Amino acid sequence: MELLQNLFDGTVLMMSFMPLLMVFLGVAVGIALGTIPGISTSMAVALLLPFTFTMSPLNSIALLLGCYKGGNYSGCIPAVTINTPGTPSSVPTLFDGYPMAKSGRGGEALGILLWSSLVGGLFGTIVLILFATPMARWALNFWPSEYFALCVLGLATVATLGGKHWPKALIAVLLGLLINTVGMDPILGTQRYTFGVMRLFDGFGLMPVMIGLFALGEVFHNIEGYKVSEQTHEKHVYTYPKFIQYWRLKGAMLRASVVGTLVGILPGAGSAIASFLAYDFEKRVSKNAAQFGKGAPEGVAASGASDSANTVAHLYLCWHLVYRVAQR
C-alpha cells in the first residue's frame, strides 16, 4: 500500500503545469546540448544547475531530470549523423547507426533510437518500482572483487566486438588501459608517466580523448576523401520507419533493457559498460550477426534501449539508497 500511495502522490505532484513545463524545457535543453560532441550529460546538468537556485525543489528536480534524460538520449544523434558519439555510452550506436545513415537510412536509425530509448526507459522504471528494495540490497553486496570482475567482463566484451579482428580490438583495449594509467595514482598519490608535465597530473580526460579519436579522425578522413564535383549532391530524406519495423525489433529492445537495468543497479557501473554488453549480447543471439557493424537495426536498438534503461535504473537506485539512509 505504501508503494501505491507514493506513486499516487508523486503522479499528482507531477501532473501540475509547472513541473511538466520544467520537464519539457529540461528535455529540450538536454537534447540541444547532448548533440554537441564534448558536452556530456553531467556538463549539461551543471550548466542548468544555477537556474534552479530560485526554484522549488520539485521544479528543480523536474528540470534537471529532463535535462539528464534528454542529453543521454541525444548523445546518439551525432553518432548516427556524423560518426561521432556525443557521450561514451553512445559509442556502440555508431557501429551500425552511421552505416545506416550512409546508405540513406538515417531516419530509420534515428527512429529506432527514439523508440528503443522509450522502451528501455519504461522497462527500467517499471522493474525498479516493483523490485527496487531487493535490488538495492543485492547491489550493496558488491565489493571490490566483484567490481574488478565486472570491469574485466566489460573490457573482454569490447575486445570480442572485433570479431575476426579480435587481436586488433584487444590491442586497442590494452592501449586504452595504458593511456588511463597516466596521472596521479588515486591510492598512493605517486605520479605515473607524467614526465614532470603538470597538465598530465590529472591524466587524459575521457571527453577530449573521445573527441580526438572520433570527431577529429572523422573530420580528417572526410577532408582526405573530399572531391569537388559539379553534380548536384543527393539529399538524404530522413523518413522514419513504420510501426511494423519497430515491432520486429521488440526482442532486441527487451533484451537490451534487461541488460541495461541489471548493470544500472550496480553502483559505479556506468552506462558505457551496459551499452557494450547489450550490443555484444545482441550480436551473439541475433540471426543477422553478420550484418552487425554494417548497418544492423538490432545493434542500434540494443544500444539505445540499454543506455536508457541503465540511466533510469542508476538514478532510481541512487535515490532509493539516499531515501533509505535518510529514514535511518
Side-chain angles (χ1 to χ4, degrees), residues 257-313:
S257 299
V258 172
V259 175
T261 303
L262 292 177
V263 177
I265 64 174
L266 303 177
S271 55
I273 295 179
S275 296
F276 278 103
L277 287 176
Y279 184 87
D280 183 67
F281 180 75
E282 188 60 32
K283 183 179 179 180
R284 293 177 183 274
V285 302
S286 176
K287 298 179 180 179
N288 301 320
Q291 295 299 321
F292 275 69
K294 302 177 182 178
E298 294 89 347
V300 178
S303 176
S306 63
D307 192 8
S308 182
N310 178 273
T311 303
V312 173

Side-chain angles (χ1 to χ4, degrees), residues 36-47:
I36 304 174
I39 298 183
S40 61
T41 52
S42 302
M43 191 180 300
V45 172
L47 291 174

Side-chain angles (χ1 to χ4, degrees), residues 6 42-43 49 82 89 105 113 116 132 146 157-158 166 177-178 190 201 204 222 230 232 268 286 292 307:
N6 290 336
S42 302
M43 191 180 300
L49 187 61
I82 61 176
S89 59
R105 300 161 59 195
L113 278 174
S116 61
E146 286 81 7
T157 301
V158 175
W166 65 267
L177 289 175
L178 180 62
T190 57
F201 284 4
F204 293 97
N222 290 334
E230 297 180 357
T232 303
S286 176
F292 275 69
D307 192 8

Side-chain angles (χ1 to χ4, degrees), residues 102-128:
K102 288 184 65 176
S103 61
R105 300 161 59 195
E108 180 181 351
L110 292 175
I112 292 173
L113 278 174
L114 177 62
W115 282 97
S116 61
S117 298
L118 175 62
V119 171
L122 290 176
F123 181 88
T125 302
I126 294 174
V127 169
L128 287 162

